[in-house]
Amino acid sequence: MQLEEGIVDVTKTVIYKNAYDFHFGTPKTKASIRKVALDGGTIKLLKEWKEHQQKQIKTKYVLSFNGIPTNKHTLRHIIRRHAKIAKVKEIAVHGLRHSHASLLIHMKEDPLILKERLGHSDVQITLGTYGHLYPNRDFELASRLSNVMERDFSKKDLTSNQGNQHLSIDNH
């Protein structure tokens, strides 16, 4: 993780059987290997966590309380506890990914940006998974078009005949 640059390098996936049997593998697809930009608030929290964590235990893993990667069951318990405190519905760990994508769609982010951020190999995967969340923006589009297209016809350019018939003008 390059916190100073505000980037997370996604280059590996953890295969976690238990605390004593885990290893790192290659992500599912070439597109899964990516750089993800983080916002300033998230970077600040990660730096604070890293500082706190290093006082407790020296580890190279971001999500670690004991020197080894935190497993998804621990994360599920944390989510469950905080959902109960916040009185909101609990979601699965993978649901955080879907919530993130849904939020970006709500913010009207471009599907190509989502494709890159989520590590999809093709935008069709992104649209196939999240396409139903894109609102019908046809009226919004029509409104924007009306602001772009202006018409200002000169009265002398107009004829009383608005049909498509040839007009013969008598100059006598």
Side-chain angles (χ1 to χ4, degrees):
M1 187 174 323
Q2 303 169 17
L3 287 180
E4 300 309 317
E5 291 85 27
I7 296 172
V8 172
D9 265 324
V10 180
T11 59
K12 296 174 183 63
T13 186
V14 67
I15 294 92
Y16 193 102
K17 292 184 182 177
N18 61 48
Y20 307 103
D21 188 6
F22 65 90
H23 64 280
F24 295 92
T26 306
K28 287 192 287 187
T29 68
K30 188 176 177 180
S32 297
I33 299 170
R34 63 202 184 277
K35 294 181 183 298
V36 179
L38 299 176
D39 64 280
T42 301
I43 293 166
K44 182 177 183 261
L45 286 172
L46 286 171
K47 284 180 178 179
E48 288 171 3
W49 166 248
K50 186 176 181 180
E51 184 179 307
H52 172 77
Q53 178 191 49
Q54 293 301 313
K55 289 177 186 174
Q56 306 300 315
I57 188 161
K58 302 296 180 207
T59 183
K60 60 184 176 181
Y61 306 117
V62 176
L63 295 177
S64 178
F65 297 95
N66 57 5
I68 61 172
T70 301
N71 71 52
K72 65 181 179 182
H73 302 296
T74 301
L75 296 175
R76 187 180 74 224
H77 292 301
I78 293 168
I79 290 171
R80 181 178 292 147
R81 185 172 60 243
H82 286 279
K84 187 175 181 179
I85 292 167
K87 297 179 181 169
V88 297
K89 184 180 176 193
E90 173 190 338
I91 63 172
V93 174
H94 191 73
L96 296 172
R97 173 183 172 88
H98 294 305
S99 294
H100 179 66
S102 299
L103 176 61
L104 294 175
I105 291 167
H106 178 74
M107 293 168 57
K108 300 180 182 177
E109 289 301 329
D110 187 287
L112 292 174
I113 293 172
L114 261 71
K115 169 200 160 302
E116 297 295 323
R117 193 163 182 90
L118 296 172
H120 291 159
S121 57
D122 190 307
V123 73
Q124 292 305 319
I125 295 169
T126 308
L127 293 173
T129 305
Y130 300 105
H132 66 285
L133 296 176
Y134 283 91
N136 182 346
R137 299 189 334 203
D138 199 30
F139 288 105
E140 182 183 320
L141 174 66
S143 176
R144 286 197 323 263
L145 278 172
S146 72
N147 292 331
V148 171
M149 306 289 286
E150 290 184 25
R151 56 192 157 122
D152 186 19
F153 298 113
S154 169
K155 295 288 183 198
K156 67 179 182 175
D157 293 339
L158 296 178
T159 167
S160 60
N161 182 348
Q162 296 297 317
N164 62 357
Q165 301 299 315
H166 174 71
L167 299 175
S168 117
I169 301 176
D170 192 0
N171 290 334
H172 300 336

